[in-house]
Short mmCIF file of all heavy atoms in Angstrom, two decimals:
data_model
loop_
_atom_site.label_atom_id
_atom_site.label_comp_id
_atom_site.label_asym_id
_atom_site.label_seq_id
_atom_site.Cartn_x
_atom_site.Cartn_y
_atom_site.Cartn_z
N LEU A 539 -17.04 47.44 -25.72
CA LEU A 539 -16.41 46.51 -26.65
C LEU A 539 -16.86 45.09 -26.31
O LEU A 539 -16.86 44.68 -25.14
CB LEU A 539 -14.88 46.58 -26.55
CG LEU A 539 -14.22 47.92 -26.86
CD1 LEU A 539 -12.71 47.83 -26.62
CD2 LEU A 539 -14.50 48.34 -28.30
N ILE A 540 -17.25 44.32 -27.35
CA ILE A 540 -17.55 42.89 -27.17
C ILE A 540 -16.67 42.13 -28.15
O ILE A 540 -16.79 42.30 -29.38
CB ILE A 540 -19.04 42.58 -27.45
CG1 ILE A 540 -19.93 43.35 -26.48
CG2 ILE A 540 -19.31 41.08 -27.36
CD1 ILE A 540 -21.42 43.15 -26.73
N ALA A 541 -15.73 41.30 -27.59
CA ALA A 541 -14.74 40.63 -28.45
C ALA A 541 -14.69 39.14 -28.14
O ALA A 541 -14.79 38.71 -26.98
CB ALA A 541 -13.36 41.25 -28.22
N ASP A 542 -14.54 38.35 -29.21
CA ASP A 542 -14.30 36.91 -29.05
C ASP A 542 -12.86 36.71 -28.57
O ASP A 542 -11.97 37.51 -28.91
CB ASP A 542 -14.54 36.20 -30.38
CG ASP A 542 -14.52 34.69 -30.23
OD1 ASP A 542 -14.58 34.21 -29.08
OD2 ASP A 542 -14.44 33.98 -31.26
N TYR A 543 -12.62 35.66 -27.78
CA TYR A 543 -11.26 35.44 -27.25
C TYR A 543 -10.34 34.91 -28.35
O TYR A 543 -9.23 35.41 -28.53
CB TYR A 543 -11.29 34.46 -26.08
CG TYR A 543 -9.94 34.22 -25.46
CD1 TYR A 543 -9.36 35.17 -24.62
CD2 TYR A 543 -9.22 33.07 -25.75
CE1 TYR A 543 -8.11 34.97 -24.07
CE2 TYR A 543 -7.97 32.85 -25.21
CZ TYR A 543 -7.41 33.80 -24.36
OH TYR A 543 -6.17 33.61 -23.82
N HIS A 544 -10.80 33.88 -29.09
CA HIS A 544 -9.96 33.29 -30.14
C HIS A 544 -10.35 33.89 -31.48
O HIS A 544 -11.46 33.71 -31.96
CB HIS A 544 -10.15 31.77 -30.18
CG HIS A 544 -9.57 31.06 -29.00
ND1 HIS A 544 -8.22 30.89 -28.84
CD2 HIS A 544 -10.16 30.49 -27.93
CE1 HIS A 544 -7.99 30.23 -27.71
NE2 HIS A 544 -9.16 29.99 -27.13
N LEU A 545 -9.40 34.61 -32.09
CA LEU A 545 -9.61 35.21 -33.39
C LEU A 545 -8.72 34.53 -34.43
O LEU A 545 -7.96 33.60 -34.09
CB LEU A 545 -9.30 36.72 -33.33
CG LEU A 545 -10.16 37.52 -32.32
CD1 LEU A 545 -9.63 38.93 -32.18
CD2 LEU A 545 -11.63 37.52 -32.74
N ASP A 546 -8.78 34.96 -35.66
CA ASP A 546 -7.98 34.32 -36.71
C ASP A 546 -6.50 34.63 -36.52
O ASP A 546 -6.11 35.62 -35.89
CB ASP A 546 -8.43 34.83 -38.09
CG ASP A 546 -9.81 34.28 -38.47
OD1 ASP A 546 -10.19 33.22 -37.92
OD2 ASP A 546 -10.49 34.93 -39.29
N ASP A 547 -5.67 33.73 -37.11
CA ASP A 547 -4.20 33.89 -37.11
C ASP A 547 -3.60 33.98 -35.72
O ASP A 547 -2.59 34.64 -35.49
CB ASP A 547 -3.81 35.14 -37.91
CG ASP A 547 -4.30 35.07 -39.36
OD1 ASP A 547 -4.30 33.96 -39.92
OD2 ASP A 547 -4.69 36.13 -39.90
N GLY A 548 -4.25 33.30 -34.73
CA GLY A 548 -3.71 33.24 -33.37
C GLY A 548 -3.91 34.49 -32.55
O GLY A 548 -3.39 34.60 -31.44
N ALA A 549 -4.64 35.47 -33.08
CA ALA A 549 -4.88 36.69 -32.31
C ALA A 549 -5.83 36.40 -31.15
O ALA A 549 -6.72 35.56 -31.25
CB ALA A 549 -5.45 37.77 -33.23
N LEU A 550 -5.65 37.13 -30.05
CA LEU A 550 -6.48 36.96 -28.85
C LEU A 550 -7.27 38.23 -28.60
O LEU A 550 -6.77 39.35 -28.76
CB LEU A 550 -5.61 36.65 -27.64
CG LEU A 550 -4.76 35.36 -27.73
CD1 LEU A 550 -3.93 35.18 -26.46
CD2 LEU A 550 -5.65 34.14 -27.95
N GLY A 551 -8.52 38.01 -28.16
CA GLY A 551 -9.41 39.15 -27.92
C GLY A 551 -8.88 40.12 -26.90
O GLY A 551 -9.03 41.35 -27.05
N VAL A 552 -8.24 39.61 -25.82
CA VAL A 552 -7.75 40.52 -24.77
C VAL A 552 -6.67 41.45 -25.32
O VAL A 552 -6.59 42.63 -24.94
CB VAL A 552 -7.22 39.71 -23.56
CG1 VAL A 552 -8.36 39.05 -22.81
CG2 VAL A 552 -6.21 38.66 -24.01
N ASN A 553 -5.84 40.93 -26.24
CA ASN A 553 -4.80 41.76 -26.82
C ASN A 553 -5.38 42.81 -27.76
O ASN A 553 -4.93 43.98 -27.81
CB ASN A 553 -3.79 40.89 -27.57
CG ASN A 553 -3.06 39.94 -26.66
OD1 ASN A 553 -2.92 40.21 -25.45
ND2 ASN A 553 -2.59 38.82 -27.19
N GLU A 554 -6.40 42.41 -28.54
CA GLU A 554 -7.03 43.37 -29.44
C GLU A 554 -7.78 44.45 -28.68
O GLU A 554 -7.80 45.62 -29.09
CB GLU A 554 -7.98 42.64 -30.40
CG GLU A 554 -7.30 41.60 -31.28
CD GLU A 554 -6.15 42.18 -32.08
OE1 GLU A 554 -6.27 43.34 -32.56
OE2 GLU A 554 -5.11 41.51 -32.22
N VAL A 555 -8.39 44.08 -27.55
CA VAL A 555 -9.05 45.08 -26.70
C VAL A 555 -8.03 46.10 -26.20
O VAL A 555 -8.28 47.32 -26.16
CB VAL A 555 -9.78 44.40 -25.53
CG1 VAL A 555 -10.20 45.42 -24.48
CG2 VAL A 555 -11.00 43.65 -26.03
N ALA A 556 -6.85 45.60 -25.82
CA ALA A 556 -5.79 46.50 -25.36
C ALA A 556 -5.38 47.47 -26.47
O ALA A 556 -5.14 48.67 -26.22
CB ALA A 556 -4.58 45.68 -24.87
N ARG A 557 -5.30 47.00 -27.71
CA ARG A 557 -4.95 47.89 -28.85
C ARG A 557 -6.03 48.96 -29.06
O ARG A 557 -5.73 50.13 -29.28
CB ARG A 557 -4.79 47.06 -30.12
CG ARG A 557 -3.57 46.14 -30.13
CD ARG A 557 -3.56 45.30 -31.39
NE ARG A 557 -3.47 46.12 -32.60
CZ ARG A 557 -3.70 45.67 -33.83
NH1 ARG A 557 -4.07 44.41 -34.00
NH2 ARG A 557 -3.59 46.48 -34.87
N LEU A 558 -7.30 48.52 -28.99
CA LEU A 558 -8.39 49.48 -29.19
C LEU A 558 -8.43 50.52 -28.08
O LEU A 558 -8.67 51.71 -28.32
CB LEU A 558 -9.72 48.73 -29.27
CG LEU A 558 -9.90 47.81 -30.50
CD1 LEU A 558 -11.17 46.99 -30.37
CD2 LEU A 558 -9.95 48.64 -31.78
N ARG A 559 -8.18 50.09 -26.86
CA ARG A 559 -8.15 51.03 -25.74
C ARG A 559 -7.02 52.03 -25.91
O ARG A 559 -7.16 53.24 -25.63
CB ARG A 559 -7.99 50.26 -24.42
CG ARG A 559 -9.26 49.55 -23.96
CD ARG A 559 -8.98 48.68 -22.75
NE ARG A 559 -10.21 48.15 -22.15
CZ ARG A 559 -10.22 47.25 -21.17
NH1 ARG A 559 -9.07 46.78 -20.69
NH2 ARG A 559 -11.36 46.83 -20.69
N ALA A 560 -5.86 51.52 -26.37
CA ALA A 560 -4.72 52.42 -26.57
C ALA A 560 -5.02 53.44 -27.66
O ALA A 560 -4.64 54.62 -27.57
CB ALA A 560 -3.48 51.59 -26.92
N ALA A 561 -5.74 52.99 -28.71
CA ALA A 561 -6.08 53.92 -29.80
C ALA A 561 -7.06 54.99 -29.34
O ALA A 561 -7.01 56.13 -29.81
CB ALA A 561 -6.66 53.14 -30.98
N CYS A 562 -7.96 54.62 -28.40
CA CYS A 562 -8.94 55.59 -27.89
C CYS A 562 -8.35 56.48 -26.81
O CYS A 562 -8.90 57.55 -26.51
CB CYS A 562 -10.15 54.87 -27.33
SG CYS A 562 -11.13 54.01 -28.59
N GLY A 563 -7.27 56.04 -26.19
CA GLY A 563 -6.66 56.82 -25.12
C GLY A 563 -7.38 56.69 -23.80
O GLY A 563 -7.10 57.46 -22.87
N ARG A 564 -8.26 55.72 -23.66
CA ARG A 564 -8.92 55.49 -22.37
C ARG A 564 -9.37 54.03 -22.28
O ARG A 564 -9.41 53.30 -23.28
CB ARG A 564 -10.11 56.43 -22.20
CG ARG A 564 -11.25 56.26 -23.18
CD ARG A 564 -12.30 57.35 -22.99
NE ARG A 564 -13.41 57.25 -23.92
CZ ARG A 564 -14.54 56.58 -23.68
NH1 ARG A 564 -14.66 55.94 -22.51
NH2 ARG A 564 -15.52 56.55 -24.57
N ILE A 565 -9.71 53.63 -21.06
CA ILE A 565 -10.12 52.25 -20.81
C ILE A 565 -11.60 52.10 -21.16
O ILE A 565 -12.49 52.57 -20.44
CB ILE A 565 -9.88 51.83 -19.34
CG1 ILE A 565 -8.42 52.03 -18.97
CG2 ILE A 565 -10.29 50.38 -19.12
CD1 ILE A 565 -7.46 51.20 -19.79
N LEU A 566 -11.86 51.43 -22.28
CA LEU A 566 -13.24 51.18 -22.68
C LEU A 566 -13.76 49.94 -21.95
O LEU A 566 -13.03 48.95 -21.81
CB LEU A 566 -13.32 50.95 -24.19
CG LEU A 566 -12.89 52.12 -25.10
CD1 LEU A 566 -12.93 51.67 -26.55
CD2 LEU A 566 -13.82 53.31 -24.90
N PRO A 567 -15.00 49.95 -21.45
CA PRO A 567 -15.59 48.72 -20.88
C PRO A 567 -15.58 47.62 -21.95
O PRO A 567 -15.88 47.88 -23.12
CB PRO A 567 -17.01 49.13 -20.51
CG PRO A 567 -16.97 50.61 -20.40
CD PRO A 567 -15.96 51.08 -21.40
N ALA A 568 -15.21 46.39 -21.53
CA ALA A 568 -15.05 45.31 -22.51
C ALA A 568 -15.57 44.00 -21.94
O ALA A 568 -15.43 43.71 -20.75
CB ALA A 568 -13.60 45.16 -22.94
N VAL A 569 -16.16 43.20 -22.84
CA VAL A 569 -16.64 41.86 -22.51
C VAL A 569 -15.95 40.88 -23.45
O VAL A 569 -15.97 41.09 -24.69
CB VAL A 569 -18.17 41.75 -22.66
CG1 VAL A 569 -18.62 40.32 -22.38
CG2 VAL A 569 -18.87 42.73 -21.74
N ILE A 570 -15.34 39.83 -22.88
CA ILE A 570 -14.71 38.77 -23.68
C ILE A 570 -15.68 37.60 -23.75
O ILE A 570 -16.13 37.09 -22.72
CB ILE A 570 -13.38 38.32 -23.06
CG1 ILE A 570 -12.37 39.49 -23.04
CG2 ILE A 570 -12.80 37.14 -23.84
CD1 ILE A 570 -11.99 40.01 -24.39
N VAL A 571 -16.01 37.16 -24.94
CA VAL A 571 -16.91 36.03 -25.15
C VAL A 571 -16.07 34.84 -25.60
O VAL A 571 -15.29 34.95 -26.56
CB VAL A 571 -17.98 36.37 -26.20
CG1 VAL A 571 -18.92 35.18 -26.40
CG2 VAL A 571 -18.76 37.60 -25.79
N THR A 572 -16.22 33.69 -24.91
CA THR A 572 -15.38 32.53 -25.23
C THR A 572 -16.07 31.23 -24.85
O THR A 572 -16.93 31.21 -23.95
CB THR A 572 -14.03 32.61 -24.50
OG1 THR A 572 -13.25 31.45 -24.81
CG2 THR A 572 -14.22 32.69 -23.00
N ALA A 573 -15.64 30.15 -25.51
CA ALA A 573 -16.11 28.80 -25.13
C ALA A 573 -15.14 28.14 -24.15
O ALA A 573 -15.42 27.07 -23.62
CB ALA A 573 -16.25 27.93 -26.38
N ASN A 574 -14.01 28.79 -23.91
CA ASN A 574 -13.01 28.28 -22.98
C ASN A 574 -13.41 28.65 -21.56
O ASN A 574 -13.53 29.82 -21.22
CB ASN A 574 -11.64 28.88 -23.33
CG ASN A 574 -10.51 28.20 -22.57
OD1 ASN A 574 -10.71 27.71 -21.47
ND2 ASN A 574 -9.34 28.21 -23.17
N ARG A 575 -13.60 27.63 -20.71
CA ARG A 575 -14.09 27.87 -19.35
C ARG A 575 -13.01 27.66 -18.29
O ARG A 575 -13.32 27.44 -17.12
CB ARG A 575 -15.28 26.95 -19.05
CG ARG A 575 -16.45 27.14 -20.01
CD ARG A 575 -17.48 26.03 -19.86
NE ARG A 575 -18.55 26.17 -20.85
CZ ARG A 575 -19.74 26.68 -20.60
NH1 ARG A 575 -20.02 27.10 -19.37
NH2 ARG A 575 -20.66 26.78 -21.54
N THR A 576 -11.75 27.68 -18.67
CA THR A 576 -10.68 27.41 -17.71
C THR A 576 -10.46 28.61 -16.79
O THR A 576 -10.65 29.77 -17.20
CB THR A 576 -9.37 27.10 -18.44
OG1 THR A 576 -9.00 28.23 -19.23
CG2 THR A 576 -9.54 25.91 -19.36
N PRO A 577 -10.04 28.34 -15.53
CA PRO A 577 -9.76 29.44 -14.61
C PRO A 577 -8.62 30.34 -15.11
O PRO A 577 -8.61 31.54 -14.81
CB PRO A 577 -9.36 28.72 -13.31
CG PRO A 577 -9.92 27.34 -13.43
CD PRO A 577 -9.91 27.02 -14.88
N GLU A 578 -7.66 29.76 -15.86
CA GLU A 578 -6.53 30.55 -16.35
C GLU A 578 -7.01 31.67 -17.28
O GLU A 578 -6.54 32.81 -17.20
CB GLU A 578 -5.53 29.66 -17.08
CG GLU A 578 -4.77 28.66 -16.19
CD GLU A 578 -5.59 27.45 -15.83
OE1 GLU A 578 -6.68 27.28 -16.43
OE2 GLU A 578 -5.16 26.67 -14.96
N LEU A 579 -7.97 31.34 -18.15
CA LEU A 579 -8.48 32.36 -19.06
C LEU A 579 -9.24 33.43 -18.28
O LEU A 579 -9.12 34.63 -18.57
CB LEU A 579 -9.40 31.73 -20.11
CG LEU A 579 -9.89 32.66 -21.21
CD1 LEU A 579 -9.98 31.92 -22.54
CD2 LEU A 579 -11.25 33.27 -20.88
N ALA A 580 -10.03 33.00 -17.29
CA ALA A 580 -10.76 33.97 -16.48
C ALA A 580 -9.80 34.92 -15.77
O ALA A 580 -10.04 36.14 -15.68
CB ALA A 580 -11.64 33.25 -15.47
N ASP A 581 -8.67 34.36 -15.24
CA ASP A 581 -7.68 35.21 -14.57
C ASP A 581 -7.03 36.17 -15.56
O ASP A 581 -6.75 37.34 -15.24
CB ASP A 581 -6.61 34.33 -13.91
CG ASP A 581 -7.18 33.50 -12.75
OD1 ASP A 581 -8.25 33.88 -12.22
OD2 ASP A 581 -6.56 32.48 -12.40
N GLU A 582 -6.77 35.69 -16.77
CA GLU A 582 -6.15 36.54 -17.79
C GLU A 582 -7.07 37.70 -18.16
O GLU A 582 -6.64 38.86 -18.27
CB GLU A 582 -5.84 35.70 -19.04
CG GLU A 582 -5.17 36.49 -20.15
CD GLU A 582 -4.95 35.66 -21.40
OE1 GLU A 582 -5.32 34.46 -21.38
OE2 GLU A 582 -4.43 36.21 -22.40
N ALA A 583 -8.37 37.39 -18.34
CA ALA A 583 -9.32 38.45 -18.69
C ALA A 583 -9.47 39.45 -17.55
O ALA A 583 -9.55 40.67 -17.76
CB ALA A 583 -10.68 37.82 -19.03
N LYS A 584 -9.48 38.94 -16.32
CA LYS A 584 -9.61 39.82 -15.16
C LYS A 584 -8.41 40.76 -15.07
O LYS A 584 -8.54 41.96 -14.78
CB LYS A 584 -9.74 38.99 -13.89
CG LYS A 584 -9.94 39.81 -12.63
CD LYS A 584 -10.09 38.90 -11.41
CE LYS A 584 -10.26 39.73 -10.15
NZ LYS A 584 -10.40 38.87 -8.94
N ALA A 585 -7.21 40.20 -15.33
CA ALA A 585 -6.00 41.02 -15.29
C ALA A 585 -6.04 42.10 -16.37
O ALA A 585 -5.47 43.19 -16.20
CB ALA A 585 -4.77 40.14 -15.46
N ALA A 586 -6.73 41.81 -17.49
CA ALA A 586 -6.84 42.79 -18.57
C ALA A 586 -7.99 43.76 -18.36
O ALA A 586 -8.22 44.63 -19.22
CB ALA A 586 -6.99 42.07 -19.90
N GLY A 587 -8.73 43.61 -17.25
CA GLY A 587 -9.85 44.51 -16.97
C GLY A 587 -11.06 44.23 -17.82
O GLY A 587 -11.80 45.15 -18.18
N CYS A 588 -11.28 42.93 -18.15
CA CYS A 588 -12.43 42.54 -18.98
C CYS A 588 -13.30 41.56 -18.22
O CYS A 588 -12.80 40.74 -17.44
CB CYS A 588 -11.96 41.90 -20.29
SG CYS A 588 -10.88 42.93 -21.29
N LEU A 589 -14.60 41.61 -18.49
CA LEU A 589 -15.52 40.60 -17.99
C LEU A 589 -15.60 39.46 -18.99
O LEU A 589 -15.34 39.65 -20.19
CB LEU A 589 -16.91 41.19 -17.76
CG LEU A 589 -17.03 42.19 -16.60
CD1 LEU A 589 -18.48 42.67 -16.48
CD2 LEU A 589 -16.57 41.59 -15.29
N VAL A 590 -15.96 38.25 -18.51
CA VAL A 590 -16.00 37.07 -19.36
C VAL A 590 -17.42 36.52 -19.39
O VAL A 590 -18.07 36.37 -18.35
CB VAL A 590 -15.04 35.98 -18.86
CG1 VAL A 590 -15.18 34.71 -19.70
CG2 VAL A 590 -13.60 36.47 -18.92
#
Side-chain angles (χ1 to χ4, degrees):
L539 299 176
I540 299 177
D542 189 13
Y543 182 76
H544 290 286
L545 300 171
D546 289 337
D547 301 325
L550 299 179
V552 290
N553 296 334
E554 299 305 322
V555 167
R557 291 176 62 193
L558 293 173
R559 285 173 171 173
C562 293
R564 63 186 180 92
I565 303 298
L566 298 175
V569 177
I570 297 297
V571 181
T572 179
N574 190 331
R575 300 168 184 260
T576 61
E578 292 78 10
L579 186 144
D581 294 339
E582 181 183 0
K584 183 179 179 181
C588 303
L589 291 181
V590 175

